[in-house]
Tab-separated table of all heavy atoms in Angstrom:
chain	number	residue	atom	x	y	z
K	22	THR	N	126.965	-29.152	64.323
K	22	THR	CA	125.861	-28.382	63.748
K	22	THR	C	125.792	-28.664	62.243
K	22	THR	O	125.719	-29.791	61.824
K	22	THR	CB	126.038	-26.886	64.025
K	22	THR	OG1	127.282	-26.440	63.442
K	22	THR	CG2	126.091	-26.589	65.517
K	23	SER	N	125.790	-27.603	61.447
K	23	SER	CA	125.743	-27.752	59.997
K	23	SER	C	126.827	-26.924	59.320
K	23	SER	O	127.476	-27.376	58.386
K	23	SER	CB	124.364	-27.325	59.466
K	23	SER	OG	124.076	-26.000	59.880
K	24	LYS	N	127.047	-25.715	59.810
K	24	LYS	CA	128.017	-24.803	59.214
K	24	LYS	C	128.458	-23.815	60.282
K	24	LYS	O	127.621	-23.254	60.976
K	24	LYS	CB	127.384	-24.067	58.025
K	24	LYS	CG	128.259	-23.014	57.373
K	24	LYS	CD	129.433	-23.629	56.616
K	24	LYS	CE	130.217	-22.571	55.844
K	24	LYS	NZ	131.404	-23.132	55.183
K	25	TYR	N	129.747	-23.602	60.407
K	25	TYR	CA	130.341	-22.715	61.401
K	25	TYR	C	130.209	-23.277	62.818
K	25	TYR	O	131.190	-23.455	63.527
K	25	TYR	CB	129.752	-21.302	61.350
K	25	TYR	CG	130.069	-20.555	60.100
K	25	TYR	CD1	129.056	-20.111	59.255
K	25	TYR	CD2	131.386	-20.302	59.718
K	25	TYR	CE1	129.341	-19.430	58.073
K	25	TYR	CE2	131.692	-19.623	58.545
K	25	TYR	CZ	130.664	-19.193	57.721
K	25	TYR	OH	130.953	-18.525	56.561
K	26	GLY	N	128.982	-23.540	63.253
K	26	GLY	CA	128.785	-24.019	64.604
K	26	GLY	C	128.176	-22.959	65.492
K	26	GLY	O	127.762	-21.888	65.047
K	27	THR	N	128.109	-23.254	66.789
K	27	THR	CA	127.588	-22.307	67.770
K	27	THR	C	128.758	-21.763	68.590
K	27	THR	O	129.260	-20.689	68.329
K	27	THR	CB	126.533	-22.975	68.663
K	27	THR	OG1	127.085	-24.156	69.275
K	27	THR	CG2	125.320	-23.364	67.838
K	28	GLY	N	129.257	-22.558	69.548
K	28	GLY	CA	130.374	-22.106	70.367
K	28	GLY	C	131.637	-21.808	69.584
K	28	GLY	O	132.399	-20.895	69.925
K	29	LEU	N	131.888	-22.555	68.516
K	29	LEU	CA	133.077	-22.313	67.683
K	29	LEU	C	132.783	-21.410	66.500
K	29	LEU	O	133.709	-20.979	65.805
K	29	LEU	CB	133.643	-23.644	67.155
K	29	LEU	CG	134.233	-24.628	68.157
K	29	LEU	CD1	134.902	-25.787	67.423
K	29	LEU	CD2	135.222	-23.947	69.083
K	30	GLY	N	131.510	-21.130	66.260
K	30	GLY	CA	131.131	-20.364	65.078
K	30	GLY	C	131.856	-19.039	64.905
K	30	GLY	O	132.380	-18.744	63.824
K	31	PRO	N	131.928	-18.200	65.961
K	31	PRO	CA	132.628	-16.920	65.807
K	31	PRO	C	134.102	-17.095	65.460
K	31	PRO	O	134.684	-16.256	64.774
K	31	PRO	CB	132.456	-16.264	67.183
K	31	PRO	CG	131.221	-16.883	67.748
K	31	PRO	CD	131.246	-18.301	67.257
K	32	LEU	N	134.710	-18.185	65.928
K	32	LEU	CA	136.131	-18.422	65.654
K	32	LEU	C	136.344	-18.813	64.193
K	32	LEU	O	137.284	-18.341	63.540
K	32	LEU	CB	136.665	-19.515	66.574
K	32	LEU	CG	136.448	-19.291	68.075
K	32	LEU	CD1	137.002	-20.463	68.870
K	32	LEU	CD2	137.090	-17.985	68.524
K	33	LEU	N	135.472	-19.672	63.670
K	33	LEU	CA	135.598	-20.109	62.281
K	33	LEU	C	135.227	-18.991	61.318
K	33	LEU	O	135.884	-18.784	60.295
K	33	LEU	CB	134.726	-21.345	62.046
K	33	LEU	CG	135.142	-22.583	62.855
K	33	LEU	CD1	134.111	-23.699	62.718
K	33	LEU	CD2	136.512	-23.070	62.414
K	34	LEU	N	134.179	-18.246	61.645
K	34	LEU	CA	133.812	-17.096	60.814
K	34	LEU	C	134.889	-16.027	60.897
K	34	LEU	O	135.253	-15.404	59.890
K	34	LEU	CB	132.472	-16.520	61.267
K	34	LEU	CG	131.968	-15.294	60.502
K	34	LEU	CD1	131.730	-15.623	59.027
K	34	LEU	CD2	130.689	-14.747	61.141
K	35	GLY	N	135.411	-15.820	62.105
K	35	GLY	CA	136.467	-14.832	62.273
K	35	GLY	C	137.706	-15.173	61.471
K	35	GLY	O	138.354	-14.284	60.906
K	36	LYS	N	138.026	-16.450	61.402
K	36	LYS	CA	139.174	-16.878	60.595
K	36	LYS	C	138.970	-16.491	59.136
K	36	LYS	O	139.895	-15.993	58.476
K	36	LYS	CB	139.357	-18.388	60.730
K	36	LYS	CG	140.484	-18.966	59.880
K	36	LYS	CD	141.843	-18.439	60.310
K	36	LYS	CE	142.954	-19.051	59.484
K	36	LYS	NZ	144.288	-18.545	59.882
K	37	GLU	N	137.760	-16.683	58.627
K	37	GLU	CA	137.445	-16.308	57.246
K	37	GLU	C	137.630	-14.808	57.025
K	37	GLU	O	137.996	-14.373	55.935
K	37	GLU	CB	136.017	-16.703	56.899
K	37	GLU	CG	135.803	-18.192	56.726
K	37	GLU	CD	134.396	-18.518	56.263
K	37	GLU	OE1	133.607	-17.573	56.038
K	37	GLU	OE2	134.073	-19.709	56.115
K	38	LYS	N	137.352	-14.030	58.067
K	38	LYS	CA	137.414	-12.577	57.968
K	38	LYS	C	138.783	-12.012	58.340
K	38	LYS	O	138.966	-10.797	58.377
K	38	LYS	CB	136.327	-11.939	58.846
K	38	LYS	CG	134.902	-12.235	58.382
K	38	LYS	CD	133.887	-11.591	59.300
K	38	LYS	CE	132.460	-11.808	58.820
K	38	LYS	NZ	132.178	-11.068	57.563
K	39	GLY	N	139.745	-12.885	58.648
K	39	GLY	CA	141.102	-12.424	58.924
K	39	GLY	C	141.431	-12.209	60.379
K	39	GLY	O	142.512	-11.692	60.699
K	40	TYR	N	140.544	-12.617	61.283
K	40	TYR	CA	140.837	-12.505	62.707
K	40	TYR	C	141.899	-13.542	63.098
K	40	TYR	O	141.944	-14.638	62.534
K	40	TYR	CB	139.583	-12.749	63.551
K	40	TYR	CG	138.594	-11.610	63.585
K	40	TYR	CD1	137.899	-11.230	62.438
K	40	TYR	CD2	138.319	-10.928	64.763
K	40	TYR	CE1	136.969	-10.205	62.466
K	40	TYR	CE2	137.393	-9.898	64.812
K	40	TYR	CZ	136.717	-9.541	63.653
K	40	TYR	OH	135.804	-8.527	63.685
K	41	ASP	N	142.683	-13.191	64.093
K	41	ASP	CA	143.728	-14.096	64.578
K	41	ASP	C	143.454	-14.399	66.045
K	41	ASP	O	143.857	-13.654	66.933
K	41	ASP	CB	145.108	-13.451	64.407
K	41	ASP	CG	146.245	-14.373	64.826
K	41	ASP	OD1	146.018	-15.590	64.830
K	41	ASP	OD2	147.330	-13.866	65.146
K	42	PHE	N	142.740	-15.487	66.299
K	42	PHE	CA	142.433	-15.887	67.663
K	42	PHE	C	143.435	-16.918	68.165
K	42	PHE	O	144.034	-17.651	67.381
K	42	PHE	CB	141.018	-16.490	67.740
K	42	PHE	CG	139.919	-15.515	67.424
K	42	PHE	CD1	139.052	-15.754	66.361
K	42	PHE	CD2	139.738	-14.376	68.183
K	42	PHE	CE1	138.033	-14.871	66.069
K	42	PHE	CE2	138.720	-13.469	67.900
K	42	PHE	CZ	137.865	-13.729	66.833
K	43	HIS	N	143.591	-16.973	69.475
K	43	HIS	CA	144.450	-17.968	70.113
K	43	HIS	C	143.557	-18.791	71.035
K	43	HIS	O	143.131	-18.313	72.090
K	43	HIS	CB	145.572	-17.284	70.891
K	43	HIS	CG	146.339	-16.296	70.066
K	43	HIS	ND1	147.233	-16.678	69.084
K	43	HIS	CD2	146.323	-14.941	70.053
K	43	HIS	CE1	147.742	-15.600	68.512
K	43	HIS	NE2	147.204	-14.534	69.077
K	44	VAL	N	143.245	-20.000	70.613
K	44	VAL	CA	142.251	-20.818	71.291
K	44	VAL	C	142.918	-21.846	72.198
K	44	VAL	O	143.883	-22.510	71.809
K	44	VAL	CB	141.347	-21.530	70.259
K	44	VAL	CG1	140.283	-22.359	70.972
K	44	VAL	CG2	140.702	-20.519	69.314
K	45	PHE	N	142.368	-21.977	73.403
K	45	PHE	CA	142.760	-23.036	74.325
K	45	PHE	C	141.554	-23.967	74.466
K	45	PHE	O	140.487	-23.537	74.905
K	45	PHE	CB	143.176	-22.462	75.683
K	45	PHE	CG	144.461	-21.688	75.620
K	45	PHE	CD1	144.467	-20.353	75.255
K	45	PHE	CD2	145.671	-22.309	75.922
K	45	PHE	CE1	145.655	-19.635	75.173
K	45	PHE	CE2	146.862	-21.595	75.849
K	45	PHE	CZ	146.856	-20.257	75.471
K	46	SER	N	141.730	-25.208	74.065
K	46	SER	CA	140.633	-26.173	74.030
K	46	SER	C	140.749	-27.155	75.188
K	46	SER	O	141.704	-27.931	75.266
K	46	SER	CB	140.650	-26.934	72.693
K	46	SER	OG	139.684	-27.956	72.680
K	47	ASP	N	139.780	-27.108	76.116
K	47	ASP	CA	139.726	-28.130	77.164
K	47	ASP	C	139.521	-29.497	76.524
K	47	ASP	O	138.701	-29.647	75.607
K	47	ASP	CB	138.544	-27.852	78.105
K	47	ASP	CG	138.828	-26.749	79.101
K	47	ASP	OD1	139.998	-26.374	79.251
K	47	ASP	OD2	137.869	-26.263	79.728
K	48	GLU	N	140.190	-30.505	77.032
K	48	GLU	CA	140.062	-31.848	76.444
K	48	GLU	C	138.648	-32.413	76.581
K	48	GLU	O	138.180	-33.172	75.740
K	48	GLU	CB	141.054	-32.803	77.099
K	48	GLU	CG	140.818	-32.987	78.587
K	48	GLU	CD	141.827	-33.906	79.264
K	48	GLU	OE1	142.553	-34.609	78.557
K	48	GLU	OE2	141.873	-33.913	80.503
K	49	THR	N	137.943	-32.052	77.659
K	49	THR	CA	136.558	-32.443	77.917
K	49	THR	C	136.410	-33.945	78.173
K	49	THR	O	135.939	-34.702	77.322
K	49	THR	CB	135.605	-32.012	76.775
K	49	THR	OG1	135.999	-30.743	76.254
K	49	THR	CG2	134.189	-31.900	77.303
K	50	ARG	N	136.829	-34.350	79.354
K	50	ARG	CA	136.668	-35.726	79.810
K	50	ARG	C	135.193	-36.036	80.064
K	50	ARG	O	134.423	-35.120	80.361
K	50	ARG	CB	137.470	-35.904	81.107
K	50	ARG	CG	138.965	-35.910	80.912
K	50	ARG	CD	139.508	-37.298	80.707
K	50	ARG	NE	139.264	-38.113	81.892
K	50	ARG	CZ	138.883	-39.393	81.836
K	50	ARG	NH1	138.717	-39.986	80.687
K	50	ARG	NH2	138.680	-40.064	82.952
K	51	PRO	N	134.763	-37.317	79.992
K	51	PRO	CA	135.590	-38.464	79.644
K	51	PRO	C	135.588	-38.818	78.150
K	51	PRO	O	136.330	-39.689	77.721
K	51	PRO	CB	134.927	-39.592	80.448
K	51	PRO	CG	133.487	-39.235	80.424
K	51	PRO	CD	133.443	-37.726	80.525
K	52	LEU	N	134.742	-38.149	77.373
K	52	LEU	CA	134.630	-38.504	75.950
K	52	LEU	C	135.576	-37.708	75.060
K	52	LEU	O	135.655	-37.940	73.855
K	52	LEU	CB	133.180	-38.322	75.480
K	52	LEU	CG	132.180	-39.235	76.192
K	52	LEU	CD1	130.747	-38.922	75.750
K	52	LEU	CD2	132.497	-40.695	75.932
K	53	LEU	N	136.282	-36.750	75.650
K	53	LEU	CA	137.371	-36.047	74.968
K	53	LEU	C	136.935	-35.326	73.687
K	53	LEU	O	137.681	-35.265	72.718
K	53	LEU	CB	138.511	-37.027	74.658
K	53	LEU	CG	139.107	-37.747	75.872
K	53	LEU	CD1	140.158	-38.755	75.425
K	53	LEU	CD2	139.705	-36.751	76.860
K	54	GLN	N	135.737	-34.722	73.717
K	54	GLN	CA	135.288	-33.999	72.523
K	54	GLN	C	136.188	-32.807	72.206
K	54	GLN	O	136.393	-32.482	71.043
K	54	GLN	CB	133.838	-33.518	72.702
K	54	GLN	CG	132.814	-34.626	72.753
K	54	GLN	CD	132.385	-34.925	74.173
K	54	GLN	OE1	133.206	-34.868	75.101
K	54	GLN	NE2	131.127	-35.256	74.372
K	55	GLY	N	136.709	-32.161	73.245
K	55	GLY	CA	137.593	-31.029	73.002
K	55	GLY	C	138.889	-31.451	72.352
K	55	GLY	O	139.414	-30.782	71.458
K	56	ALA	N	139.406	-32.595	72.795
K	56	ALA	CA	140.665	-33.104	72.243
K	56	ALA	C	140.454	-33.700	70.854
K	56	ALA	O	141.150	-33.346	69.894
K	56	ALA	CB	141.254	-34.158	73.178
K	57	ARG	N	139.480	-34.590	70.740
K	57	ARG	CA	139.295	-35.333	69.489
K	57	ARG	C	138.634	-34.503	68.386
K	57	ARG	O	138.916	-34.701	67.206
K	57	ARG	CB	138.438	-36.581	69.732
K	57	ARG	CG	139.036	-37.597	70.687
K	57	ARG	CD	138.196	-38.862	70.751
K	57	ARG	NE	136.813	-38.582	71.106
K	57	ARG	CZ	135.803	-38.611	70.241
K	57	ARG	NH1	136.004	-38.893	68.973
K	57	ARG	NH2	134.567	-38.338	70.657
K	58	LEU	N	137.741	-33.583	68.783
K	58	LEU	CA	136.910	-32.907	67.800
K	58	LEU	C	137.213	-31.414	67.648
K	58	LEU	O	137.451	-30.931	66.550
K	58	LEU	CB	135.431	-33.107	68.146
K	58	LEU	CG	134.990	-34.573	68.310
K	58	LEU	CD1	133.527	-34.652	68.722
K	58	LEU	CD2	135.233	-35.353	67.035
K	59	THR	N	137.220	-30.677	68.769
K	59	THR	CA	137.454	-29.234	68.661
K	59	THR	C	138.845	-28.925	68.124
K	59	THR	O	139.003	-28.139	67.196
K	59	THR	CB	137.255	-28.549	70.023
K	59	THR	OG1	135.875	-28.658	70.401
K	59	THR	CG2	137.632	-27.077	69.953
K	60	SER	N	139.867	-29.540	68.718
K	60	SER	CA	141.225	-29.270	68.232
K	60	SER	C	141.382	-29.749	66.789
K	60	SER	O	142.074	-29.123	65.977
K	60	SER	CB	142.268	-29.931	69.137
K	60	SER	OG	142.104	-31.330	69.191
K	61	TYR	N	140.709	-30.836	66.451
K	61	TYR	CA	140.717	-31.364	65.080
K	61	TYR	C	140.103	-30.355	64.103
K	61	TYR	O	140.696	-30.027	63.067
K	61	TYR	CB	139.938	-32.680	65.069
K	61	TYR	CG	139.637	-33.266	63.709
K	61	TYR	CD1	140.578	-34.045	63.042
K	61	TYR	CD2	138.392	-33.084	63.120
K	61	TYR	CE1	140.290	-34.610	61.798
K	61	TYR	CE2	138.091	-33.646	61.889
K	61	TYR	CZ	139.039	-34.403	61.237
K	61	TYR	OH	138.746	-34.955	60.014
K	62	GLU	N	138.929	-29.852	64.440
K	62	GLU	CA	138.251	-28.879	63.579
K	62	GLU	C	139.079	-27.608	63.402
K	62	GLU	O	139.218	-27.091	62.292
K	62	GLU	CB	136.891	-28.499	64.173
K	62	GLU	CG	135.764	-29.403	63.787
K	62	GLU	CD	134.413	-28.786	64.117
K	62	GLU	OE1	133.948	-27.942	63.327
K	62	GLU	OE2	133.831	-29.145	65.159
K	63	LEU	N	139.580	-27.087	64.515
K	63	LEU	CA	140.314	-25.826	64.448
K	63	LEU	C	141.634	-25.975	63.703
K	63	LEU	O	142.035	-25.077	62.952
K	63	LEU	CB	140.541	-25.278	65.857
K	63	LEU	CG	139.263	-24.872	66.620
K	63	LEU	CD1	139.611	-24.381	68.018
K	63	LEU	CD2	138.485	-23.802	65.861
């Protein structure tokens, strides 16, 4: 997206506000966006 995101947006905004989430990221085959990108961002 541009900032925060959509599906991850509440998690990134929550981090700024002091929330402590425990995220499990599916790897998302076959292009592995969850592994390469989501886990990277978080």
